[in-house]
Amino acid sequence: MLKMSIGLARGQFFAAEIGNNQRMEYLTTGGCLPLAMIAEGKAEPEEISVAPGMEALLGDHFRLHPGPDGHHIVVDDFGESLDDYEMDILSSRRRRDRLLLLENDLTAIIQAIEESLTMVEHLARFFPPHVLNLIVAHQKERQFTGEHRIVSIMFVNLRGFETLLNIAGPDALPVLTRWLNSYFITTQEVIHEAGGSIGHIVSYVKGFNLLCPFGAPLTDEEMPQRAVAAALHLNTHLAQLIQSLEEQLRALPGLPPDLLSQGPPLTQHIGITYGPIYTGSAGWRERREYVTLGDDVNLSARLTSQANSGQILISGEVYDRVYQAFNCKALPPMQFKGKTMAVPVYAVQRRALTNLWLNEAASGPLIGREESLSSLLDAVKTLQEGKGNAVMLSGETGIGKTRLIAEVARHAYRHNIEVLAGRCLAYAQTHPFTPWIEALWNWFQLEKFPDATARRDQIRQMLDARKLQFLAEALVTLLI
């Protein structure tokens, strides 16, 4: 049986339209919104909890009894005396708009059509593209059938914006609003390029959350890899955006001197899961929502709440599908509400820059590729004679290309030939030179060096030892 609890609070909050011509969102955050969420957390199922201070406003209308931490619970002793407050408030206006098209005045008809198109074009930007397509395809029914899908769900939680807004004061509001707009646009671009979308932006107890599904409506086998790759890029972009914001805030007069002593107090927290969800429309006929529901949606949100600043937490199901592509650290299993057993959790550290995938491909026997293998080994022999060459190996998916290349690499290792290996990955298709970056990072062993300066030195030293110092500037630019 479905049950709900409700939390109420009163006060101000921050609201803004953010985005660009491709995608807009109406964001609300801070102020009384987290107080309402905290109040909801104090209520049991089928209860209404009100935040501290609201009892004075409601006491004359409802009977209240004290709840936890200064909250109050509304006593439902109305029986069946409450009326149904659902009202048909839009039907008359809609009938009036349709009647206008029956008029004989051509100018009025054209004006009405233009006004309707302008309104639709503006509203369309507030919907994810796949949701807008569903609405258009089912416009007569005014709803569409729900679907069960296997997807990756990523929650992105940005914290500290409200704190920064309160400390910096109203003079900083334009700067902070522009920065928030840039953050949303950048996040949208990163997620869209990786094959995901921003489904919803919702206020949270700390900051606000972006719900980002990968695989609804379009799906592929690399959804978890796409989501993790996007999360790593989001962390990189946030660091750049924070640096830009700090420069803009320092230019404002009258800023509190200690506000930026440790940088703007903005942090990002990410959780990613993989599993079955339900997507579809829900709601009253005059107000419907595209919902994304499921156990893995809840788990992703809870992983996000446990993530430290800059941390990306993933479930065991995600780890099983990305461990070859990303370095991950196993954390102690975590216990979450609604789970009878502790959940395996991993923290993503970086994209894997080793030949693990190549080594594992060579673990089994090679059968039936004698002719192709002979041709490739001839190319290796030519290389040993001091003559460079290139070979293109192509074939259908699953035919054994990687296994064949792994055998050639193993042969090269035995003859003291350095092997650089890089992959073309679907989730990295919008990032130039990814195969070369992977191969060169592994060759230079840059993952062993903690900072950019040490990595630059490593690149230059290895190139100097091979009399390839003329490549240093270009490779440092590419890799650092």
Side-chain angles (χ1 to χ4, degrees), residues 4-300:
M4 71 168 63
S5 55
I6 298 174
L8 300 178
R10 179 176 181 270
Q12 295 181 330
F13 57 87
F14 174 84
E17 290 186 5
I18 55 175
N20 54 20
N21 289 331
Q22 283 72 47
R23 184 74 168 87
M24 297 285 293
E25 274 285 351
Y26 184 71
L27 170 69
T28 59
T29 186
C32 64
L33 299 180
L35 299 180
M37 297 188 69
I38 293 172
E40 186 274 331
K42 305 297 181 181
E44 296 295 329
E46 300 185 323
E47 287 186 343
I48 301 174
S49 171
V50 299
M54 288 194 66
E55 65 276 8
L57 300 173
L58 300 174
D60 293 338
H61 307 279
F62 303 93
R63 189 161 64 89
L64 308 173
H65 70 76
D69 302 325
H71 292 75
H72 284 75
I73 305 299
V74 178
V75 178
D76 183 7
D77 54 5
F78 287 87
E80 301 297 327
S81 63
L82 285 178
D83 293 328
D84 185 351
Y85 286 92
E86 185 173 301
M87 295 177 292
D88 188 3
I89 59 176
L90 299 178
S91 58
S92 61
R93 186 180 67 185
R94 286 180 174 168
R95 284 194 295 270
R96 186 167 60 250
D97 290 344
R98 293 191 186 99
L99 289 173
L100 182 61
L101 298 178
L102 301 178
E103 295 185 1
N104 294 324
D105 187 348
L106 181 60
T107 301
I109 293 175
I110 294 174
Q111 182 180 357
I113 294 174
E114 289 177 344
E115 290 176 354
S116 297
L117 285 175
T118 299
M119 181 177 65
V120 169
E121 288 174 354
H122 179 70
L123 291 176
R125 291 179 291 171
F126 287 84
F127 294 90
H130 66 278
V131 176
L132 184 61
N133 291 336
L134 286 171
I135 293 174
V136 172
H138 299 84
Q139 55 182 311
K140 291 183 178 180
E141 301 90 344
R142 294 179 64 186
Q143 63 180 348
F144 39 85
T145 305
E147 296 180 294
H148 293 275
R149 292 179 170 273
I150 304 294
V151 305
S152 273
I153 291 291
M154 177 169 70
F155 270 93
V156 182
N157 174 226
L158 182 71
R159 302 178 190 175
F161 179 80
E162 304 83 1
T163 302
L164 190 59
L165 184 62
N166 292 335
I167 297 175
D171 291 340
L173 181 59
V175 170
L176 293 174
T177 304
R178 286 194 300 270
W179 182 88
L180 190 60
N181 194 64
S182 298
Y183 173 81
F184 176 78
I185 292 173
T186 300
T187 302
Q188 166 67 15
E189 291 173 349
V190 169
I191 291 173
H192 177 74
E193 287 178 354
S197 64
I198 297 179
H200 299 282
I201 298 184
V202 293
S203 183
Y204 188 59
V205 175
K206 297 179 180 178
F208 58 86
N209 282 348
L210 287 75
L211 169 61
C212 310
F214 289 75
L218 301 177
T219 183
D220 66 52
E221 62 184 10
E222 293 189 335
M223 291 179 295
Q225 293 95 321
R226 291 176 179 273
V228 173
L232 289 170
H233 283 292
L234 288 178
N235 280 346
T236 300
H237 285 294
L238 179 63
Q240 298 170 351
L241 287 168
I242 287 178
Q243 182 179 358
S244 173
L245 175 61
E246 185 172 353
E247 294 172 356
Q248 296 179 60
L249 290 176
R250 291 190 186 280
L252 293 176
L255 200 70
D258 59 341
L259 176 61
L260 301 177
S261 58
Q262 297 180 346
L266 293 164
T267 60
Q268 187 169 258
H269 313 253
I270 298 177
I272 304 174
T273 58
Y274 176 76
I277 66 164
Y278 169 83
T279 62
S281 62
W284 181 37
R285 65 180 180 275
E286 304 293 358
R287 176 69 172 87
R288 304 193 69 81
E289 277 279 352
Y290 181 79
V291 296
T292 305
L293 305 172
D295 186 59
D296 279 277
V297 178
N298 299 333
L299 179 57
S300 179

Side-chain angles (χ1 to χ4, degrees), residues 236 327 349-355 419-423 432-456 458-459 462 474-480:
T236 300
N327 292 337
Q349 296 177 315
R350 65 182 68 86
R351 199 159 62 86
L353 299 165
T354 70
N355 287 341
V419 177
L420 281 67
R423 295 164 293 175
F433 307 114
T434 294
W436 295 102
I437 292 173
E438 179 181 13
L440 291 168
W441 262 74
N442 182 56
W443 186 55
F444 286 117
Q445 299 181 331
L446 297 183
E447 68 273 10
K448 296 181 179 180
F449 299 90
D451 56 63
T453 300
R455 290 169 182 167
R456 291 189 186 95
Q458 169 71 355
I459 292 172
M462 286 189 62
L475 291 183
V476 166
T477 302
L478 176 65
L479 300 174
I480 305 302

Side-chain angles (χ1 to χ4, degrees), residues 233-436:
H233 283 292
L234 288 178
N235 280 346
T236 300
H237 285 294
L238 179 63
Q240 298 170 351
L241 287 168
I242 287 178
Q243 182 179 358
S244 173
L245 175 61
E246 185 172 353
E247 294 172 356
Q248 296 179 60
L249 290 176
R250 291 190 186 280
L252 293 176
L255 200 70
D258 59 341
L259 176 61
L260 301 177
S261 58
Q262 297 180 346
L266 293 164
T267 60
Q268 187 169 258
H269 313 253
I270 298 177
I272 304 174
T273 58
Y274 176 76
I277 66 164
Y278 169 83
T279 62
S281 62
W284 181 37
R285 65 180 180 275
E286 304 293 358
R287 176 69 172 87
R288 304 193 69 81
E289 277 279 352
Y290 181 79
V291 296
T292 305
L293 305 172
D295 186 59
D296 279 277
V297 178
N298 299 333
L299 179 57
S300 179
R302 287 166 183 151
L303 287 175
T304 303
S305 68
Q306 294 300 312
N308 296 324
S309 174
Q311 195 173 38
I312 303 167
L313 297 185
I314 61 175
S315 65
E317 288 75 12
V318 175
Y319 173 78
D320 290 341
R321 291 162 177 82
V322 306
Y323 73 93
Q324 290 188 358
F326 301 92
N327 292 337
C328 304
K329 179 182 179 182
L331 301 179
M334 296 183 183
Q335 188 69 55
F336 294 112
K337 181 180 179 181
K339 296 287 187 179
T340 56
M341 300 180 63
V343 176
V345 178
Y346 300 82
V348 178
Q349 296 177 315
R350 65 182 68 86
R351 199 159 62 86
L353 299 165
T354 70
N355 287 341
L356 174 63
W357 62 276
L358 194 59
N359 296 337
E360 289 192 353
S363 59
L366 180 65
I367 301 173
R369 291 287 183 268
E370 290 81 4
E371 184 178 348
S372 299
L373 179 61
S374 178
S375 297
L376 291 169
L377 294 182
D378 286 343
V380 175
K381 184 177 180 181
T382 302
L383 176 64
Q384 289 177 292
E385 296 171 353
K387 299 177 183 179
N389 54 82
V391 178
M392 183 178 74
L393 179 65
S394 64
E396 297 295 330
T397 300
I399 201 171
K401 299 185 297 296
T402 302
R403 177 64 186 88
L404 182 58
I405 289 297
E407 188 68 24
V408 176
R410 186 160 61 179
H411 173 85
Y413 284 135
R414 289 198 298 263
H415 290 80
N416 298 319
I417 298 174
E418 290 184 295
V419 177
L420 281 67
R423 295 164 293 175
C424 296
L425 303 169
Y427 61 80
Q429 60 186 330
T430 59
H431 303 286
F433 307 114
T434 294
W436 295 102

